[in-house]
Amino acid sequence: FNELMLNFNKYVDESSVVKGYIKLLGNVKEYKLLLFDILDKKTSFRPPYIAEGVYTEGSVPKGDFSILPPVFLGKTIQIEGGSVVGPYTVIYNNTLVAEESVIKNSVIFNNVFVSSECYIEGSVCCENSSIKRNSAVLSGSVIGSDSLIGEDIILENNSLVRKNVRY
């Protein structure tokens, strides 16, 4: 998981002082817990916010979708109609969440495409990955960077799709 840890974001690195102690990020679960601690204000770090529980580096996109705090949205995020984002969701920069998709308790890195009618829960999608229409990524799963999950695919709990894989 070194790729995941090295691309953590400008806010924290592999051994960052957070919550008044050293938090070592040794696996995906710890990584997500640290991000969710930040969203819950359990750390001294405070990302920029625009509303209670809604943190962003840019602006919240406009449209007919739901945001359930706490969430963090990076720059240039597009969320289409009928989609639900949150709670406990981090979406980094340049990401598209197409219509009628649900993302909760998950971390979505830069340049990710989530097609229509997808369901992502408790998972991590690394940069430049794509999840095609009507697919599900279930709890504890990780999609490596530059990977593609095809249409109508269900990734069961704790699935690992390595970098550059077409599934």
Side-chain angles (χ1 to χ4, degrees):
F1 295 112
N2 277 341
E3 175 187 328
L4 180 66
M5 299 309 163
L6 292 174
N7 291 312
F8 180 78
N9 192 307
K10 67 184 179 184
Y11 298 127
V12 285
D13 60 24
E14 274 194 78
S15 66
S16 297
V17 177
V18 184
K19 201 175 179 179
Y21 60 90
I22 298 292
K23 179 77 174 186
L24 295 177
L25 302 174
N27 61 46
V28 172
K29 182 178 178 183
E30 289 175 4
Y31 171 75
K32 287 184 352 188
L33 287 174
L34 175 58
L35 287 178
F36 299 161
D37 277 353
I38 291 170
L39 292 177
D40 277 340
K41 300 179 186 176
K42 294 179 181 176
T43 71
S44 59
F45 176 75
R46 297 288 185 266
Y49 72 95
I50 60 164
E52 187 62 34
V54 180
Y55 304 92
T56 183
E57 288 184 327
S59 59
V60 174
K62 304 216 182 308
D64 185 25
F65 55 84
S66 298
I67 294 179
L68 306 175
V71 299
F72 174 85
L73 302 174
K75 296 177 184 173
T76 320
I77 304 297
Q78 184 176 353
I79 305 171
E80 295 183 348
S83 291
V84 178
V85 173
Y88 294 99
T89 298
V90 174
I91 301 178
Y92 289 108
N93 302 326
N94 305 315
T95 294
L96 169 65
V97 179
E99 66 273 355
E100 303 295 329
S101 290
V102 175
I103 303 174
K104 59 184 179 177
N105 302 313
S106 295
V107 179
I108 310 296
F109 278 89
N110 293 331
N111 305 311
V112 172
F113 173 69
V114 178
S115 190
S116 60
E117 300 174 358
C118 288
Y119 180 82
I120 302 171
E121 180 177 7
S123 297
V124 174
C125 300
C126 293
E127 63 188 14
N128 302 313
S129 59
S130 295
I131 299 96
K132 296 293 188 173
R133 189 185 68 74
N134 198 39
S135 290
V137 182
L138 302 181
S139 187
S141 295
V142 177
I143 299 173
S145 60
D146 302 303
S147 291
L148 170 73
I149 305 303
E151 287 189 15
D152 302 313
I153 299 292
I154 297 175
L155 288 181
E156 297 294 338
N157 292 341
N158 303 309
S159 293
L160 174 61
V161 177
R162 298 198 182 277
K163 182 177 181 178
N164 290 317
V165 170
R166 303 295 177 254
Y167 192 88

